[in-house]
Amino acid sequence: TRSSVMAGTRSATAKAAADIEDARHVAAPMAHVLLVCLQACCALVTVIEPNLHILATATLAVYAGSHRSIKPAAQGNTEAMTKQDAMRFPVIGSCVLFGFFVLFKYLPKDLVNKLLTGYFVVLGIFALVGCLSPVLARFVPKSFAGKVMKFGTLPTIPLITDGPSKLECTPPELIAGVAACGFCGWYVMEKHWVANNALGLAFSLTGVEFLTLDSVQIGAILLVGLFFYDIFWVFFTPVMVTVAKSFDAPIKLLFPRVVEPGSKSPFSMLGLGDIVVPGIYVALTLRMDLQRAARAKAEGKPAPKRYFPAVIFGYFAGLATTIAVMNVFNAAQPALLYIVPGILGATFLRALVAGGVKELKEIWAFVEAGEEEGADEPKKSK
């Protein structure tokens, strides 16, 4: 009937408007601005004290990534880790890490790094587009920003895509893609630390945004497993440090420092895993705060205590402790040795202070539900 056609048209129009708003949405804009300013200031003005630079950059990346995760998680557009995934992750990570160690040991380092650079540059283009296109979309008319341009189908790319993908994009995504290609070309040519960090931060923000944990229990399993993983590979073998120093690709952030006599490197380093792995747990606590607050409001109850501020402070404190111990002993430290107790300790201590054992049990049993699925339906898992 005519009324049903009109209703369908209104629904399609509303959906298109919502898609445009999603494309223009920039979460935690000030955190993103500060991240850019930190890198620009260090490159163009003066070298920032490396320890402060590491703390500020990593904490801002976790904060921004956590806020970026809210919409994709609510819409079910994320990859959720299961308990089995969390338990297997340290084992798989160990195999991958040792595999890279063997490659660097028995193959020409330049050849391995060229292959890895090509792989990460392709991923970096997509990550940069995801970070840049929402910003560009805010500077063009809404009708132009939401226009979809189709270019055919992209065949399956091994290790990158699961199957053929439709080649379609909006004008802001196309502009961002051209800029990202040029930027990645500069990275390949110069390997400048600013280009490395831009790609590394894009990977970190995208990882925290789209990799999710559905419950505190899964997060605790993952973090505890990687706690022991980090300790073993850093303290008991040369594997982690060797791979980190040999890997000439944007899997780590570089922080310039004043070169002193006898110094082996002009940079301090922080692996992206020390941002992304704790970051997806910190992001979970932010979404938990929002979900619990919405539930309490719907039931007419007082707003529950928030966990995100305490947990992100626990991340900051854990990373600061890592840096302090590293400087005291002048030796590489497994960051997760200090970060994991920081964020898990902050979670459980906050629960005990907020409501004792009852609150602790409630937080331990928390399971996230997407807005579209409802509380009783699980989100899409890997």
Side-chain angles (χ1 to χ4, degrees), residues 72-120:
Q75 296 167 349
N77 294 329
T78 61
E79 290 291 335
M81 187 173 290
T82 66
K83 282 187 178 180
Q84 289 73 25
D85 293 330
M87 289 186 283
R88 287 194 294 259
F89 199 90
V91 177
I92 295 172
S94 295
C95 294
V96 172
L97 180 66
F98 188 72
F100 279 125
F101 177 75
V102 172
L103 286 176
F104 282 118
K105 188 175 179 65
Y106 294 105
L107 292 178
K109 188 182 295 185
D110 288 344
L111 173 62
V112 176
N113 276 318
K114 284 179 181 178
L115 294 174
L116 291 173
T117 296
Y119 175 70
F120 281 100

Side-chain angles (χ1 to χ4, degrees), residues 136-190:
L136 294 173
R138 300 191 72 84
F139 293 95
V140 299
K142 288 186 178 181
S143 58
F144 183 69
K147 185 179 180 180
V148 177
M149 300 179 292
K150 299 182 180 180
F151 302 97
T153 302
L154 181 72
T156 302
I157 303 175
L159 304 179
I160 296 178
T161 61
D162 295 329
S165 307
K166 291 183 179 179
L167 275 178
E168 56 184 35
C169 65
T170 61
E173 289 172 339
L174 180 61
I175 297 169
V178 172
C181 289
F183 191 86
C184 288
W186 176 49
Y187 169 76
V188 172
M189 295 284 291
E190 300 293 336

Side-chain angles (χ1 to χ4, degrees), residues 122-264:
V122 173
L123 294 181
I125 291 172
F126 288 101
L128 286 172
V129 169
C131 292
L132 293 175
S133 58
V135 178
L136 294 173
R138 300 191 72 84
F139 293 95
V140 299
K142 288 186 178 181
S143 58
F144 183 69
K147 185 179 180 180
V148 177
M149 300 179 292
K150 299 182 180 180
F151 302 97
T153 302
L154 181 72
T156 302
I157 303 175
L159 304 179
I160 296 178
T161 61
D162 295 329
S165 307
K166 291 183 179 179
L167 275 178
E168 56 184 35
C169 65
T170 61
E173 289 172 339
L174 180 61
I175 297 169
V178 172
C181 289
F183 191 86
C184 288
W186 176 49
Y187 169 76
V188 172
M189 295 284 291
E190 300 293 336
K191 291 294 179 79
H192 196 281
W193 70 267
V194 171
N196 176 89
N197 285 9
L199 288 169
L201 287 170
F203 289 140
S204 299
L205 293 171
T206 303
V208 177
E209 180 179 5
F210 289 107
L211 297 174
T212 58
L213 303 166
D214 281 349
S215 72
V216 172
Q217 291 182 25
I218 294 175
I221 291 170
L222 175 68
L223 291 172
V224 170
L226 290 176
F227 171 84
F228 291 106
Y229 158 93
D230 222 17
I231 291 173
F232 174 76
W233 288 111
V234 173
F235 283 154
F236 296 99
T237 76
V239 172
M240 181 78 80
V241 174
T242 301
V243 170
K245 290 181 177 179
S246 303
F247 215 117
D248 189 16
I251 61 155
K252 57 195 175 189
L253 300 183
L254 302 175
F255 301 91
R257 60 187 180 188
V258 177
V259 180
E260 299 176 354
S263 176
K264 294 182 180 179

